[in-house]
Amino acid sequence: MHSFFHFFVGSLISILLYVQNAPTMYYAYFLLPVLLWMLVCLQWDLIYSAKLHLERKKVFYKFIGISLLSFIAMELLREIMSIVLWAIAAWPFFSNLTNTHKRLCFSWCVTSVILSVFPMMPVVGKDTNYNIVILAGWLFIFAVGFCARRPETGLIYNNRIAKREPYRIAVLTAVQVILLCISTYTIQSTSRSIADKDGLPFLNQIVSWFILGISLMLPLFGSQSILTRLLNVMTALFAPYILLSIAHEGMFCLLLCIQMILWLMLEHQLSYNYSKLQDIYFVPSPTDPTKRKIITEISLGDFRRAYFFIFFILLAFFGTGNIASINSFNPTSVYCFLTVFNPFVMGVLMLIKILIPFLIVSCILRAINVCLKVSQEHCFF
């Protein structure tokens, strides 16, 4: 019934646009909302069960009101995100994790507070500060090295419990670290060359395009282990991101990655999953002892994860300013790739820069769903 109604509405809109000889882009503008609402209506049973669950908990109207007010406020005023981050920072302290995982809770709190500074900073695009970009690059390299040495990843050191990753995964991670080092040096060399009025060195341009292409393909050959896979994905995404950074957005992306990993670890601890995080895989084998039936019942934890996901998506977009706005666009963001005005190429590069934080947040949500064996639809009702 819902599909027929939306098909009728879509057909009517198409006929009206055709009669008016509207451009092709108008069809996308008008028909895309119809498609999205149809997908929402197809999940009506799940939406209704979620509503009943909240009504039983007597928090339905409070949840709807707080969610609407917070999201509307964040759309209108970036600084509201800082207040939300302060509230999120205190979230673990209202659980029993403070008794068993104090260091994890403290790390989450500190990272949230530091992240809350970025929405209050000037919008990226007005000024350039390559020193912060270079610092973010080297800090990320240090963070990757620290994670690689942890026994949970199984790359360098290992314990008797964690499974050792194949040698090719360790080599792939090392290659990614090398590419990240080259990216950091390239942005440093390019900024110095531009400041000296020497233009973009041809070698730097070739290296930048090579890193952009190869970095996005390397995770396809990575491990299926959750921690190692996320490490490879974040490293692959950060390398081109730093080449497109001109100020503090590189540091923001670094802290966002740390925050996402901490979110995964907190959700894993709250799930009381007896399997260790390093033993969970995105694609478990049929004989995997950690494989169990997917949970289909809705709980308050599903609402929390959905709320966090939407908030972090908004934070990824507006945390350093509306980077999709033409007012905040600075051509120096693409100086590592080209210095000649080319709207199409510049638009593609800026689109990649916008999508990278989204991909990081989405990958973490996928990892949480796999870790908790929760149906993915629970976060999209």
Side-chain angles (χ1 to χ4, degrees):
M1 183 63 182
H2 294 299
S3 301
F4 176 77
F5 173 75
H6 288 91
F7 177 77
F8 173 76
V9 173
S11 302
L12 182 61
I13 292 175
S14 300
I15 293 173
L16 293 175
L17 292 175
Y18 178 78
V19 171
Q20 297 179 10
N21 294 323
T24 306
M25 189 61 66
Y26 281 40
Y27 288 86
Y29 290 155
F30 284 95
L31 294 179
L32 185 59
V34 177
L35 175 62
L36 294 177
W37 277 110
M38 184 185 70
L39 296 176
V40 170
C41 292
L42 290 176
Q43 300 293 331
W44 181 253
D45 293 338
L46 185 62
I47 297 173
Y48 186 72
S49 62
K51 176 179 177 295
L52 293 178
H53 180 81
L54 288 175
E55 287 179 344
R56 286 196 299 268
K57 298 291 184 178
K58 298 180 180 180
V59 293
F60 176 71
Y61 295 105
K62 183 185 295 185
F63 175 81
I64 296 297
I66 294 176
S67 300
L68 288 176
L69 287 176
S70 59
F71 289 136
I72 292 174
M74 285 186 290
E75 290 282 354
L76 299 177
L77 193 62
R78 289 176 55 232
E79 288 75 8
I80 298 296
M81 292 185 177
S82 299
I83 300 176
V84 178
L85 279 169
W86 296 340
I88 288 177
W91 158 59
F93 297 98
F94 292 94
S95 64
N96 56 0
L97 290 178
T98 53
N99 299 325
T100 56
H101 299 83
K102 293 182 179 179
R103 184 180 300 178
L104 181 60
C105 296
F106 179 75
S107 301
W108 169 269
C109 181
V110 171
T111 309
S112 300
V113 172
I114 297 176
L115 265 178
S116 66
V117 176
F118 289 93
M120 295 185 289
M121 296 179 68
V123 175
V124 170
K126 296 181 179 179
D127 301 311
T128 59
N129 191 336
Y130 286 104
N131 292 328
I132 299 180
V133 178
I134 296 168
L135 177 62
W138 291 118
L139 287 177
F140 197 94
I141 293 169
F142 173 79
V144 173
F146 174 79
C147 294
R149 293 176 63 88
R150 295 290 300 174
E152 291 84 355
T153 58
L155 292 173
I156 299 178
Y157 293 110
N158 199 4
N159 53 25
R160 297 179 181 179
I161 301 176
K163 183 179 178 181
R164 182 66 182 267
E165 290 289 348
Y167 180 73
R168 63 178 181 84
I169 303 299
V171 173
L172 183 142
T173 306
V175 170
Q176 288 186 312
V177 172
I178 294 174
L179 291 176
L180 189 55
C181 293
I182 296 175
S183 298
T184 306
Y185 177 77
T186 301
I187 191 71
Q188 181 178 2
S189 174
T190 302
S191 62
R192 188 186 305 116
S193 179
I194 296 296
D196 295 338
K197 308 297 182 181
D198 294 332
L200 172 63
F202 181 72
L203 179 61
N204 290 17
Q205 186 178 17
I206 296 298
V207 169
S208 298
W209 283 107
F210 174 77
I211 291 176
L212 176 63
I214 197 68
S215 294
L216 300 180
M217 292 190 298
L218 286 179
L220 300 176
F221 308 97
S223 171
Q224 291 298 329
S225 174
I226 279 187
L227 291 178
T228 310
R229 182 79 167 185
L230 290 175
L231 179 65
N232 293 144
V233 169
M234 289 181 177
T235 307
L237 293 176
F238 192 81
Y241 188 85
I242 198 173
L243 291 173
L244 295 166
S245 301
I246 59 174
H248 56 269
E249 69 266 39
M251 195 69 70
F252 171 80
C253 187
L254 168 63
L255 290 169
L256 182 65
C257 292
I258 297 175
Q259 183 82 345
M260 292 298 96
I261 293 295
L262 293 175
W263 182 28
L264 171 63
M265 298 174 68
L266 285 171
E267 292 289 354
H268 176 258
Q269 296 299 333
L270 286 173
S271 67
Y272 300 102
N273 191 341
Y274 295 104
S275 302
K276 292 189 176 182
L277 201 56
Q278 60 265 29
D279 296 330
I280 302 176
Y281 294 81
F282 278 105
V283 183
S285 61
T287 59
D288 188 359
T290 66
K291 187 177 181 180
R292 54 189 175 91
K293 187 177 180 180
I294 293 179
I295 300 174
T296 57
E297 295 181 357
I298 295 177
S299 64
L300 288 178
D302 296 319
F303 289 92
R304 182 189 67 246
R305 286 184 288 272
Y307 183 87
F308 277 16
F309 173 72
I310 297 175
F311 170 74
F312 283 124
I313 285 291
L314 291 175
L315 181 66
F317 192 83
F318 295 106
T320 56
N322 188 356
I323 55 179
S325 173
I326 192 66
N327 296 325
S328 60
F329 173 72
N330 193 330
T332 56
S333 300
V334 297
Y335 271 3
C336 287
F337 297 90
L338 73 165
T339 55
V340 179
F341 183 75
N342 189 326
F344 178 76
V345 177
M346 288 181 173
V348 172
L349 291 173
M350 292 308 299
L351 182 62
I352 293 174
K353 182 179 179 181
I354 293 171
L355 290 178
I356 284 176
F358 292 170
L359 290 174
I360 293 173
V361 178
S362 300
C363 288
I364 290 297
L365 179 68
R366 173 60 179 165
I368 290 174
N369 288 335
V370 171
C371 178
L372 273 58
K373 299 295 187 294
V374 174
S375 178
Q376 196 163 351
E377 288 80 6
H378 282 201
C379 290
F380 297 98
F381 46 78

